């Protein structure tokens, strides 16, 4: 099954993608994680993306479309995948259609801007493996240390409040129109983001199985 997770930055797409990926045994593809990795290793693509990402802006379509094309061609995607953070614009969604890849379900996780501001200021991510934590809602066993790989937990530059505001604006202008795009294709399910990860997961799994 080929699934897209839609939602504002901080709506919980990454966390939910990890859970669904385990349940359905299909890989999660996060363009954000791929770009961050490129940034860390200093590739040309990473350098191109850096200023956009740090300002809370979208990386140009042609860059992310290239990333996704390459990633979806790999063997592990043949039985399905979960896209987390792609597409984020109508041209990106059109590019996916043009690649001839059929999307089965699009799950939109709805969370208010106010709740997102609160969530993102407390978010911490593992420097090494990218796993996501929260100082209030999803604490690691040991403060500041990743449960999976013992890497250091840090705040992403783009999770700072001013950047979050900019990212929300970009989301409403550029990404939200995708809800209509997929609704017209009969693929959209809207799920209200709940207070706990588990209850949101339950709603998402129900929507996937429907
Ligand atoms: P994320 O981790 O998904 O929130 O992505 C972090 C940042 O990476 C975004 O704020 C963008 O700058 C960039 N990015 C990730 N995915 C995309 C995409 N599909 N289109 C454009 N920029 C993206």
């Amino acid at each position: 099954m080929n699934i897209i997770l839609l939602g504002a930055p901080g709506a919980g797409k990454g966390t939910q993608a990890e859970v669904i990926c385990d349940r359905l045994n299909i890989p999660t593809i996060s363009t954000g994680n791929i770009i961050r990795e490129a940034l860390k290793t200093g590739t040309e693509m990473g350098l191109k993306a850096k200023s956009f990402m740090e300002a809370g802006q979208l990386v140009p379509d042609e860059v992310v479309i290239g990333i996704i094309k390459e990633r979806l061609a790999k063997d592990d995607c043949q039985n399905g995948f979960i896209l987390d953070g792609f597409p984020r614009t109508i041209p990106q969604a059109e590019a996916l259609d043009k690649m001839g890849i059929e999307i089965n379900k699009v799950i939109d996780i709805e969370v208010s801007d106010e709740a997102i501001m609160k969530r993102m200021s407390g978010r911490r991510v593992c420097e090494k493996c990218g796993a996501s934590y929260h100082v209030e809602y999803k604490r690691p066993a040991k403060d500041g240390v990743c449960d999976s790989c013992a890497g250091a937990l840090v705040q992403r530059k783009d999770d700072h409040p001013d950047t979050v505001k900019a990212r929300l604006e970009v989301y409403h202008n550029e990404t939200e129109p995708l809800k209509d795009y997929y609704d017209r294709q009969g693929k959209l399910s809207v799920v209200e983001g709940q207070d706990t990860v588990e209850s949101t997961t339950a709603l998402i799994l129900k929507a996937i199985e429907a």
Side-chain angles (χ1 to χ4, degrees), residues 2 13 25 27 31 36 39-40 72 74 76 78-79 83 85 104 108 137 151 169-170 182 185 189:
N2 300 336
K13 298 188 299 293
N25 206 18
T31 37
R36 275 185 288 279
L39 231 154
K40 240 178 12 190
L72 291 181
K74 295 201 170 151
D76 64 340
Q78 302 318 306
N79 293 326
L83 291 181
N104 307 105
D108 169 48
Y137 313 120
E169 208 177 303
V170 169
Y182 287 114
Q185 296 185 8
S189 300

Side-chain angles (χ1 to χ4, degrees), residues 8-10 13 30-33 35-36 49-61 64-65 68 84-89 92 120 123 156 158-159 163 167 170 175:
K13 298 188 299 293
S30 152
T31 37
N33 283 350
I35 296 168
R36 275 185 288 279
K50 190 174 193 289
S51 58
F52 295 100
M53 201 165 181
E54 288 183 354
Q57 299 300 315
L58 293 183
V59 172
D61 284 337
V64 276
I65 290 168
I68 270 303
D84 159 20
F86 186 96
R88 260 173 153 109
T89 65
Q92 290 179 19
M120 288 182 76
R123 180 154 81 168
R156 276 165 40 178
D158 56 352
D159 279 348
T163 319
R167 293 173 74 195
V170 169
T175 309

